[in-house]
């Protein structure tokens, strides 16, 4: 089926998430994502917390996935939670995104990505090279019925500004501590 919404520009608000950062291969991607979703969901339950949105995978290098896949897998939360083991609690800063909904097989997403890149360029924007896919379908859904939202971060709106909007990777890598659920600062 393909694209089921218009490509649109949005301002996302700051939010919180529990995430796992992983590098993997195309062959192992489904297994790694599934296992990570289950581990993160378990940590939400341990903290008596509810997810604020559907699961997501951020592809940090979607333009060069032949070199291996660098992903951040997670769930957003309405409040700050505690990480555990390889699961990190993060704050996702507000950012400008381009977004579109897709229905159908994941292999068809490549054409949506191309169309979104063309839209971004035509509007005078610049993509950061990172994208997030939000998965709305439950396991076992037929490939034709899969619903995925694709967000692409913008580095800058070139016609208006020449400064970055997407500081997520730098923020994520710079985190040295966090505030736990009791308000106590902890080192990472």
């Amino acid at each position: 089926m393909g694209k089921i919404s218009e490509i649109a520009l949005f301002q996302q608000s700051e939010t919180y998430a529990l995430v796992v950062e992983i590098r993997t291969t195309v062959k192992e991607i489904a297994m790694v994502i599934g296992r990570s979703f289950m581990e993160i969901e378990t940590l939400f339950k341990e903290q008596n917390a509810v997810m604020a949105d559907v699961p997501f995978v951020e592809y940090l290098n979607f333009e060069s996935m032949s070199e291996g896949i660098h992903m951040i897998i997670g769930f957003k939360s309405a409040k700050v939670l505690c990480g555990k083991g390889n699961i990190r609690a993060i704050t996702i800063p507000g950012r400008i995104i381009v977004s579109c909904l897709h229905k159908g097989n994941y292999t068809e997403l490549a054409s949506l990505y191309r169309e979104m890149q063309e839209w971004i360029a035509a509007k005078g924007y610049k993509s950061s090279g990172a994208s997030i896919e939000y998965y709305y379908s439950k396991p076992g859904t037929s490939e034709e019925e899969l619903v995925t939202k694709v967000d692409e971060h913008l580095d800058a709106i070139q016609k208006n500004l020449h400064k970055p909007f997407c500081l997520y990777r730098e923020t994520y890598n710079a985190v040295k501590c966090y505030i736990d659920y009791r308000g106590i600062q902890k080192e990472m």
Side-chain angles (χ1 to χ4, degrees), residues 171-184:
T171 302
Y172 180 86
N173 291 332
V175 172
K176 303 292 183 229
C177 64
Y178 65 94
I179 307 293
D180 74 10
Y181 67 97
R182 298 168 295 191
I184 299 169

Side-chain angles (χ1 to χ4, degrees), residues 10-16 76 90-97 132 153-155 164-169 171:
F10 294 102
Q11 168 70 53
Q12 281 188 333
S13 299
E14 179 180 275
T15 189
Y16 310 105
K76 292 181 179 178
I90 64 166
T91 300
I92 302 171
R95 55 191 169 193
I96 304 292
I97 60 151
I132 297 181
H153 311 170
L154 298 184
D155 268 342
F165 278 108
C166 180
L167 302 175
Y168 177 68
R169 286 174 295 219
T171 302

Side-chain angles (χ1 to χ4, degrees), residues 23-40:
R23 293 178 192 273
T24 191
T25 64
V26 173
K27 182 179 177 184
E28 296 177 341
I29 192 169
M31 179 193 65
V32 168
I33 291 172
R35 182 182 66 231
S36 297
F37 283 165
M38 288 189 300
E39 290 171 357
I40 296 168

Side-chain angles (χ1 to χ4, degrees), residues 5-188:
S5 74
E6 294 300 317
I7 297 171
L9 183 72
F10 294 102
Q11 168 70 53
Q12 281 188 333
S13 299
E14 179 180 275
T15 189
Y16 310 105
L18 289 178
V19 300
V20 175
E21 184 170 359
I22 295 178
R23 293 178 192 273
T24 191
T25 64
V26 173
K27 182 179 177 184
E28 296 177 341
I29 192 169
M31 179 193 65
V32 168
I33 291 172
R35 182 182 66 231
S36 297
F37 283 165
M38 288 189 300
E39 290 171 357
I40 296 168
E41 190 173 8
T42 299
L43 188 53
F44 266 88
K45 289 176 183 173
E46 287 176 12
Q47 296 180 48
N48 294 315
V50 177
M51 290 154 245
D53 204 346
V54 297
F56 68 86
V57 175
E58 179 172 10
Y59 296 93
L60 298 174
N61 62 336
F62 80 91
E63 293 173 334
S64 60
M65 286 190 175
S66 61
E67 301 167 12
I69 300 170
H70 186 190
M71 309 179 290
I72 296 177
I73 300 166
F75 287 94
K76 292 181 179 178
S77 64
K79 62 182 183 176
V80 177
L81 299 174
C82 292
K84 180 179 176 183
N86 66 335
I87 301 172
R88 296 185 62 185
I90 64 166
T91 300
I92 302 171
R95 55 191 169 193
I96 304 292
I97 60 151
V98 171
S99 187
C100 190
L101 282 170
H102 177 273
K103 184 175 182 181
N105 191 308
Y106 295 138
T107 60
E108 298 169 357
L109 285 171
S111 62
L112 177 60
Y113 276 100
R114 279 191 297 279
E115 187 175 346
M116 290 175 75
Q117 285 295 312
E118 290 168 6
W119 189 95
I120 289 167
K123 299 289 186 186
Y125 305 146
K126 184 179 178 206
S127 174
S128 71
S131 69
I132 297 181
E133 293 179 4
Y134 293 88
Y135 304 107
Y136 287 88
S137 303
K138 64 183 178 182
T141 301
S142 71
E143 289 185 354
E144 302 79 38
E145 297 298 316
L146 295 171
V147 176
T148 308
K149 181 175 84 165
V150 175
D151 289 351
E152 289 195 34
H153 311 170
L154 298 184
D155 268 342
I157 298 181
Q158 295 172 334
K159 58 187 168 190
N160 297 324
L161 300 172
H162 292 286
K163 54 187 182 178
F165 278 108
C166 180
L167 302 175
Y168 177 68
R169 286 174 295 219
E170 290 80 11
T171 302
Y172 180 86
N173 291 332
V175 172
K176 303 292 183 229
C177 64
Y178 65 94
I179 307 293
D180 74 10
Y181 67 97
R182 298 168 295 191
I184 299 169
Q185 183 170 323
K186 304 266 184 157
E187 298 299 315
M188 298 293 276

